[in-house]
Each structure stands twice: as structure tokens, then as C-alpha cells.
Amino acid sequence: MSLRCDNAARRGPFGSAILLICLIASPAFAAGRGVSFRAEDGRTINALVFEPSQRPASAVVLVPMLGRPKDDWDTVGQRLADANILALAIDLPGVSEPGDSKILGAWSADVRASVSYLLTRPDVRAGSVGIAGASLGASFAALAAASLPAVHSLALISPSLDYRGVRIEAAMKQYGGRPALLVASSHDPYAARTVRELAKDPPGTRETRISETTAHGTMLLARDPDLVRALVEWFQATLR
């Protein structure tokens, strides 16, 4: 328990304050639990699940940036669990681009498999599943959500209209009137422009958040704690 708290203190936005919270927290305040399930192609997907105390509950898949681990979502995952939302943080299939946009785009299948896994869990409410993704993970979140009617809410952190040939405009149109939260830093021009473009004449609710913090993807969440709170509140409001 204390070792996990030390790690959280080093990487958390609140410094030593996080260490103090960890020292006085109950055993329920713990890192995510490791789980595994099958991808569509038969591979094993390893993930961390953050389980709320009250279940059945809403659930959210958390998709990381390229080259970053699922552990980047630790703070968000625990905050969601504290808000009685189950969180499932996954790794991407690879740590570097495969060099082919079709292969890269197909990585979104792991996000679909993650939603399917959540729907098999008796502690997840079937009508209350969302996805949050950061950077390239936001592209995969959009692609997966578009093809899955079971996804009722979406959050894109530092999204890109076109990430090395992986485009999301059509996916967001297919996603339709379901709600989406769009987040970027004002110092991240392409992500900020993507947010503005996706918020134009939407078919449904599109809430935007532009941060003045200089960062991208999950690093933006780590450096701007207000965005973490906004993300949790978003899923509380849109997954019921």
C-alpha cells in the first residue's frame, strides 16, 4: 500500500498531498486490478480495472496515447471508481506505429473488444458504457464508439481529425446524437482545431473544454486536475 502511494505521489499533479491522502485512505483506495480477455483476433488484452464499491455500475474504457501505458490512467480510473463508475484501462496493441494506416486503424478493434468484455460482466450496467481516449487513443475511441450502439458516451482528449491516415470525421458523424466531450490545450493547435471542427453543427451534445495548460493527451490530464474532475463529472452526467 505505501509503495503504491509513493509512486502516486511522484507522478501525481498534487505532489506530496497525494502521499498524505494515500496514507490515511482506506484499503478501498487501491491501484487497479489486473484482468485479461480476448481481442477479436484471439490475442490476450491485458488491462487494469478500477472497481467501484457499489455495483452494478456504469463503466468506461480508457484508451492511452501511442507509446504510453495503461497506467497513465491510474488517477482517472480511481476517480471514476470513487464516483461509482467502473473503469477499464487498456494498452494499445503496440508501442510504435505499424507504418500502414489500415493496420493502425484496425487497432480500434481492441477498444471494441474491451466494450464487449465489459458487457459480459454482471457488475456493469449494459445500457451505461462509455469510452475515453487520449491522442491516438482518442481516434480509436471514436472509431469504436461509432460502430457500437452500446456506447452511450464518449470523451476525446487531444484528438486529431487525421492521425497518420486514421481519420475520425466519418466516425463522429456515425456516432450521431450521442454525447461527446472534446478536450484540448490551447497550446496544442491541431488538437484545439480538431475540437472546434468536431463541435461545429453537431447532431447531438458536444461539450468542449480548452485548457491553458501546455500538454497533450493523458499528460494534459495529469497537469490540469480540473480536466480530470470535468471528465468524471461528464460520465456521471451522461451515463446513468
Side-chain angles (χ1 to χ4, degrees):
M1 182 73 169
S2 61
L3 177 60
R4 190 197 65 77
C5 292
D6 290 343
N7 288 338
R10 285 198 295 271
R11 66 173 180 266
F14 301 111
S16 60
I18 288 182
L19 178 58
L20 176 60
I21 292 171
C22 289
L23 288 173
I24 64 175
S26 69
F29 190 99
R33 179 174 62 85
V35 296
S36 62
F37 49 93
R38 292 295 180 188
E40 292 179 358
D41 62 4
R43 290 178 298 104
T44 297
I45 298 175
N46 295 311
L48 293 173
V49 62
F50 299 82
E51 297 167 319
S53 58
Q54 299 178 24
R55 287 171 278 175
S58 303
V60 175
V61 177
L62 303 173
V63 192
M65 303 164 60
L66 181 66
R68 296 293 306 175
K70 57 186 175 294
D71 308 76
D72 275 4
W73 289 106
D74 278 359
T75 297
V76 173
Q78 187 59 57
R79 289 283 295 275
L80 286 167
D82 291 343
N84 287 316
I85 298 173
L86 184 146
L88 181 74
I90 66 171
D91 282 326
L92 296 180
V95 296
S96 60
E97 295 177 27
D100 183 322
S101 62
K102 290 184 179 180
I103 295 175
L104 185 61
W107 285 6
S108 63
D110 279 18
V111 185
R112 292 197 304 269
S114 300
V115 172
S116 296
Y117 164 73
L118 288 177
L119 295 176
T120 68
R121 292 179 59 114
D123 57 351
V124 170
R125 295 206 306 269
S128 192
V129 174
I131 308 174
S135 190
L136 179 57
S139 299
F140 298 147
L143 293 172
S147 63
L148 294 173
V151 175
H152 290 266
S153 183
L154 183 63
L156 307 182
I157 316 302
S158 305
S160 298
L161 288 171
D162 184 343
Y163 192 115
R164 303 298 177 100
V166 179
R167 304 184 64 89
I168 64 171
E169 302 103 312
M172 290 304 291
K173 288 180 181 178
Q174 184 181 350
Y175 181 70
R178 290 171 283 172
L181 173 65
L182 310 169
V183 178
S185 165
S186 63
H187 303 283
D188 189 351
Y190 188 47
R193 180 162 67 86
T194 295
V195 164
R196 291 191 294 269
E197 288 293 324
L198 293 178
K200 286 182 180 178
D201 301 319
T205 302
R206 300 290 184 266
E207 183 172 321
T208 63
R209 293 285 182 128
I210 301 296
S211 172
E212 294 306 314
T213 300
T214 303
H216 181 83
T218 46
M219 299 301 100
L220 179 60
L221 295 175
R223 295 175 186 174
D224 188 344
D226 286 342
L227 292 181
V228 176
R229 180 169 60 250
L231 187 64
V232 172
E233 291 174 352
W234 170 257
F235 284 118
Q236 283 182 304
T238 57
L239 295 177
R240 297 180 178 177

